[in-house]
Amino acid sequence: MKVVIDTGNYIAARAAMMAKPKVVAAYPITPQTTIVEGIAKYVENDELDAEYICVESEHSAMSACIGAAATGVRTFTATSSHGLLLMHEMLHWAALARLPIVMCNVNRAIGPGWNIWCDENDSIAQRDTGWLQFYCSSNQEVFDTVIQAYKIVENEKVLLPAMINLGGFILSHTSLPVRIPEQKEVDEFLPPYEPKWRLDVNHPITHGNIIFPDDYYKIRYNMQLAQDNSRKIIKEVAREWREKFGTYHGDLVEEYRCDDAELVILAMGAIGAEAKVAVDKIRKNGLKVGLLRIRAFRPFPEEEIIGMAKKCNKLLVIDRNISVGNEGALAGETRACLKDRVEDANVYGFIAGLGGKDVTYIDIEKMCKMVIDGKAGRVEWYGLG
Amino acid sequence: MAIKDFPIEEYVLPGNAACPGCPSTMGLRTVLKALGKKTILTIPACCTAVIQSWYPYTSFNVPTLNIAFEAAASAASGIAAALKKLGEEDINVVVWAGDGGTYDIGLQALSGAIERQTNFLYICYNNQIYSNTGIQRSGATPYAAWTTTTVKGKKEFRKDIGEIIIAHHVPYAATACVSYPEDLYNKVKKTMGIRGPKYIEILAPCPPGWRFSMDKTVEMGKLAVETGAWILYEYENGKLSFNGISKSIAEGKYKPKPVEDWLKLQGRFSHLFKPEKDIVRINAIKDHIRDTWEHYKKLASL
Ligand SMILES: Cc1ncc(C[n+]2csc(CCOP(=O)(O)OP(=O)(O)O)c2C)c(N)n1
Ligand code: SF4
């Protein structure tokens, strides 16, 4: 075990390297680029024994990962924003093909106008692709989640791809200390990938040919079961990691000072880290506020949110994304899962930080105050100015 | 090799859903006989994606990955990379794509895969249309041909993809035609000894798409070559050379048949002959064939 101080992107690259993928296919895009540069260096220096395919687009990056994963090897890629959007078709393909690909996505706004700062609309736009989605709030969490993700998705009860999101610049380009285990320990935690099926000349199968409605319907159902199964496995893997390596960030969610809370903040990604500071500050003033940080957006932590709403019926949901024409994705899904299950739940949606607009703990304190003072509506666009 | 000496093993099995007289199954059958069992196929959206039969059945007896329309070459890059890591580089990584998936939507991925020197064989079966979606024009559709999106005949000449591929300095590129299985077989065999990206394009006369009777596929391909409308060549080690009848045409030993002999048999060109002969467009086709030949002869003399 050693402590390394590095940016979220280099930490992501290091985690990917230690997970030992055999094929990496990726394309540069700000603010993700240093992840693939990091990987390229590991491969060139023989620190990672992988084929690094310098594809000509993100669509091809995901297609190449699909081809490689279908041939039975562990794969990795990373992207952001427009790159993720270009992949969209192949994200569905990877999930329907049940290939356990792991990808980092550095959350970044979508143009026009060109904006390279943090915004979660890129990944939220992929929420129905069947991928597991994790949102990280520290570089340590990025490291741990990348390696954990392989163990989760390669479990035969899951076999779906996973996307690990980290905020553009806020984590991707900020250096923080991270505890890095020995390779040997990671190898013990994450054994080599044993594919359930592969393109094999001795057992020829055709993958992805025409499928009629009855069978297609079952395939979709099985994907849903896999997402449901992953809940338990995410928890088990997080626990195992904590026992082995000592770091822990929660499982599907992380609860922070919620026990006696009268108002609970729901947030994802780096805003989750900022919210912890806000909680501490507000509590100093005697107000009982807690945080339910959403780590997994898919599978959606329904049970955890319902459980929390039963204890504390005031939920302040912060979304760094907007489903234009409705509201923030987390707020909308929170409302949907509470409807008819927790009668008296009050959900206050806050849209904040789009296009990289700062969301500091002071802003979060102000949001809390608005709710406590009864000044918050159903959906607030915080800081429009 | 003569047809009678082809391996007896079949990899395109009965039960597939191709139209009678389909050039795709005809060509693929020969190609897989040449490649043998140690082959992984990648197939993008195209007719061949829908004729394999339906889940959970397949009529293809080699492992096959279906992939999105524009993604065949990049998926094959991933397969080739994985096989390298698994120490299984003796397996042939093969893309089998239509002209739409090659000339148009898949061109970027193909160009990238070739530029990266992917060790694979990319085969385009060129039926000169999008047949899967019901006969629309592609970049490979010839001038004046009817399709459902060029109802009065295509206004543009087809793209010369061969030259685009050659411009990538591939170790091997060739054209073929389903009507000459021995030639196709030999070309595929030849690629197996070459590392890096190999490209073969097979002219694939499609009865419903070209509007001719389904028992005439072979004849239609032969006529395309005999009239000079389709040129058989190989490009190897930086040299281009003609084969078969195209070689005889180039050497002046075979006088090409009039192109009308080929056009007239296809419903897609019927508007060039009825109600009266469209001399202007027929001459434009002839000029294009002549210019293409001149150009290729120059390439062959380099
Ligand atoms: C992204 C995308 N756009 C459009 C389609 C619809 N589509 C499927 S196959 C096809 C045409 C295929 O043409 P070609 O590659 O020439 O093969 P053929 O059908 O002639 O065998 C089209 C347009 C698709 N599957 N994916
Ligand atoms: S439309 Fe043409 S290419 Fe497609 S299956 Fe029928 S004959 Fe074959």
Side-chain angles (χ1 to χ4, degrees):
Chain A
M1 181 78 71
K2 62 180 170 195
V3 174
V4 166
I5 300 175
D6 218 335
T7 63
N9 277 356
Y10 285 124
I11 290 298
R14 186 185 280 264
M17 180 264 283
M18 293 184 81
K20 298 187 173 170
K22 287 268 171 264
V23 173
V24 176
Y27 195 78
I29 179 168
T30 306
Q32 171 274 133
T33 307
T34 48
I35 300 183
V36 299
E37 285 176 353
I39 301 254
K41 213 161 99 196
Y42 289 129
V43 174
E44 298 234 336
N45 294 345
D46 294 328
E47 289 171 85
L48 172 60
D49 178 24
E51 282 294 301
Y52 178 27
I53 314 178
C54 288
V55 283
E56 79 302 325
S57 76
E58 289 86 354
H59 195 282
S60 286
M62 190 43 62
S63 304
C65 285
I66 289 168
T71 311
V73 302
R74 188 173 282 163
T75 57
F76 178 78
T77 186
T79 189
S80 174
S81 181
H82 289 263
L84 186 66
L85 301 190
L86 185 58
M87 277 183 188
H88 180 75
E89 180 189 30
M90 305 321 290
L91 296 183
H92 277 284
W93 204 284
L96 275 153
R98 303 297 298 271
L99 297 170
I101 296 164
V102 170
M103 166 167 70
C104 281
N105 177 58
V106 183
N107 287 120
R108 168 189 148 178
I110 299 160
W114 291 115
N115 175 316
I116 55 172
W117 296 286
C118 184
D119 185 305
E120 286 164 358
N121 253 101
D122 56 354
S123 53
I124 290 299
Q126 316 307 325
R127 71 175 164 183
D128 299 333
T129 55
W131 283 59
L132 275 65
Q133 283 200 7
F134 297 96
Y135 289 81
C136 298
S137 72
S138 72
N139 292 357
Q140 183 74 58
E141 190 176 2
V142 170
F143 181 86
D144 298 0
T145 311
V146 168
I147 296 174
Q148 288 177 18
Y150 281 104
K151 184 136 185 172
I152 295 162
V153 297
E154 289 172 6
N155 187 308
E156 66 169 42
K157 294 204 173 83
V158 180
L159 292 178
L160 284 172
M163 182 190 303
I164 292 101
N165 292 284
L166 56 152
F169 296 103
I170 302 171
L171 290 189
S172 70
H173 287 65
T174 303
S175 287
L176 292 167
V178 177
R179 289 155 62 102
I180 308 283
E182 298 300 321
Q183 182 67 55
K184 195 165 71 60
E185 297 173 290
V186 173
D187 292 346
E188 280 163 18
F189 174 83
L190 180 69
Y193 174 45
E194 296 279 346
K196 189 94 176 114
W197 63 273
R198 56 162 293 203
L199 297 168
D200 179 357
V201 293
N202 296 315
H203 302 281
I205 54 150
T206 293
H207 192 276
N209 51 335
I210 298 268
I211 184 160
F212 282 2
D214 282 350
D215 285 313
Y216 186 87
Y217 189 71
K218 283 182 200 149
I219 281 183
R220 280 291 186 192
Y221 176 65
N222 286 333
M223 287 171 75
Q224 178 68 20
L225 287 184
Q227 283 265 351
D228 288 342
N229 292 340
S230 74
R231 291 192 167 89
K232 185 161 160 269
I233 291 153
I234 290 167
K235 290 177 194 169
E236 285 169 6
V237 168
R239 235 177 282 134
E240 186 189 342
W241 183 275
R242 173 164 59 184
E243 278 158 26
K244 207 163 169 53
F245 303 113
T247 46
Y248 181 73
H249 318 275
D251 37 53
L252 284 99
V253 296
E254 179 189 26
E255 280 189 33
Y256 184 70
R257 304 187 78 172
C258 288
D259 283 349
D260 59 345
E262 288 162 11
L263 169 67
V264 168
I265 304 165
L266 271 65
M268 308 198 293
I271 292 183
E274 209 64 26
K276 278 189 189 171
V277 182
V279 166
D280 291 345
K281 297 269 286 177
I282 299 168
R283 277 191 176 258
K284 278 204 182 116
N285 296 330
L287 295 170
K288 290 176 181 164
V289 176
L291 166 71
L292 186 70
R293 188 168 67 81
I294 308 299
R295 287 192 70 226
F297 186 64
R298 282 291 179 277
F300 194 67
E302 223 177 45
E303 235 175 69
E304 289 77 1
I305 293 175
I306 292 170
M308 186 56 65
K310 282 184 175 159
K311 285 194 285 183
C312 166
N313 71 353
K314 263 193 191 152
L315 303 176
L316 187 171
V317 183
I318 309 175
D319 272 294
R320 193 170 221 145
N321 67 78
I322 170 69
S323 174
V324 181
N326 190 19
E327 61 175 321
L330 181 56
E333 299 215 5
T334 299
R335 265 187 243 285
C337 90
L338 295 179
K339 177 95 175 77
D340 302 329
R341 278 134 145 182
V342 186
E343 294 289 327
D344 62 344
N346 297 299
V347 177
Y348 305 91
F350 280 78
I351 309 291
L354 304 186
K357 199 170 154 65
D358 263 349
V359 183
T360 64
Y361 66 88
I362 298 167
D363 296 312
I364 298 170
E365 281 182 75
K366 286 184 186 161
M367 294 177 203
C368 291
K369 195 158 174 358
M370 280 173 73
V371 173
I372 291 163
D373 295 347
K375 289 191 182 139
R378 182 184 156 91
V379 179
E380 292 289 340
W381 281 74
Y382 179 81
L384 258 190
Chain B
M1 185 187 284
I3 290 187
K4 69 176 174 46
D5 300 322
F6 280 7
I8 199 139
E9 287 81 14
E10 296 291 351
Y11 300 97
V12 178
L13 304 176
N16 68 68
C19 307
C22 173
S24 167
T25 40
M26 232 181 248
L28 188 58
R29 183 176 175 218
T30 302
V31 164
L32 289 177
K33 276 177 180 281
L35 291 167
K37 168 175 163 20
K38 284 197 151 188
T39 299
I40 295 178
L41 267 190
T42 309
I43 301 180
C46 60
C47 267
T48 314
V50 296
I51 65 180
Q52 298 154 25
S53 188
W54 52 80
Y55 174 88
Y57 303 105
T58 179
S59 58
F60 289 3
N61 210 10
V62 291
T64 304
L65 181 71
N66 285 281
I67 198 76
F69 196 13
E70 63 282 61
S74 39
S77 299
I79 295 171
L83 289 176
K84 188 168 174 198
K85 279 292 143 212
L86 294 168
E88 298 176 15
E89 278 186 284
D90 55 332
I91 293 171
N92 310 302
V93 178
V94 180
V95 170
W96 178 264
D99 47 292
T102 305
Y103 282 61
D104 300 340
I105 202 166
L107 185 58
Q108 173 182 323
L110 172 58
S111 173
I114 293 177
E115 185 268 339
R116 293 189 301 272
Q117 297 298 311
T118 306
N119 186 27
F120 77 146
L121 167 60
Y122 188 106
I123 302 180
C124 168
Y125 69 97
N126 177 3
N127 60 14
Q128 304 189 324
I129 37 160
Y130 299 169
S131 56
N132 170 302
T133 36
I135 317 169
Q136 293 81 36
R137 108 199 253 289
S138 79
T141 304
Y143 174 76
W146 163 91
T147 68
T148 58
T149 49
T150 55
V151 281
K152 291 184 176 168
K154 191 182 173 193
K155 294 197 176 69
E156 303 81 17
F157 290 91
R158 64 184 166 82
K159 190 189 280 190
D160 190 344
I161 194 112
E163 272 212 274
I164 297 173
I165 303 292
I166 289 171
H168 288 73
H169 306 297
V170 286
Y172 185 87
T175 54
C177 171
V178 288
S179 312
Y180 303 97
E182 293 96 335
D183 178 61
L184 173 59
Y185 185 94
N186 291 337
K187 285 171 174 165
V188 172
K189 271 279 178 214
K190 200 180 251 185
T191 65
M192 293 171 71
I194 303 171
R195 268 196 78 83
K198 287 85 59 179
Y199 177 86
I200 297 179
E201 179 164 348
I202 307 171
L203 184 71
C206 162
W210 296 15
R211 303 265 174 238
F212 63 81
S213 164
M214 60 195 169
D215 57 347
K216 295 269 185 299
T217 306
V218 172
E219 185 181 335
M220 211 58 64
K222 282 192 171 159
L223 275 171
V225 175
E226 288 164 358
T227 56
W230 185 252
I231 306 176
L232 297 176
Y233 66 80
E234 269 181 311
Y235 171 84
E236 231 182 325
N237 305 321
K239 285 288 294 168
L240 188 135
S241 57
F242 300 104
N243 324 104
I245 287 176
S246 300
K247 183 162 187 264
S248 307
I249 293 175
E251 289 168 351
K253 292 179 186 156
Y254 181 95
K255 187 169 176 294
K257 291 182 176 164
V259 73
E260 286 94 328
D261 290 4
W262 181 60
L263 299 175
K264 261 188 197 156
L265 297 177
Q266 304 172 53
R268 64 174 173 163
F269 292 114
S270 61
H271 52 281
L272 298 183
F273 300 96
K274 306 182 289 219
E276 66 242 13
K277 209 166 166 183
D278 186 338
I279 306 282
V280 175
R281 283 202 277 180
I282 291 173
N283 282 343
I285 291 171
K286 287 181 176 167
D287 290 349
H288 184 248
I289 291 173
R290 190 199 56 224
D291 293 348
T292 307
W293 267 103
E294 288 308 312
H295 184 69
Y296 270 84
K297 279 184 192 163
K298 256 189 230 147
L299 290 180
S301 68
L302 289 176

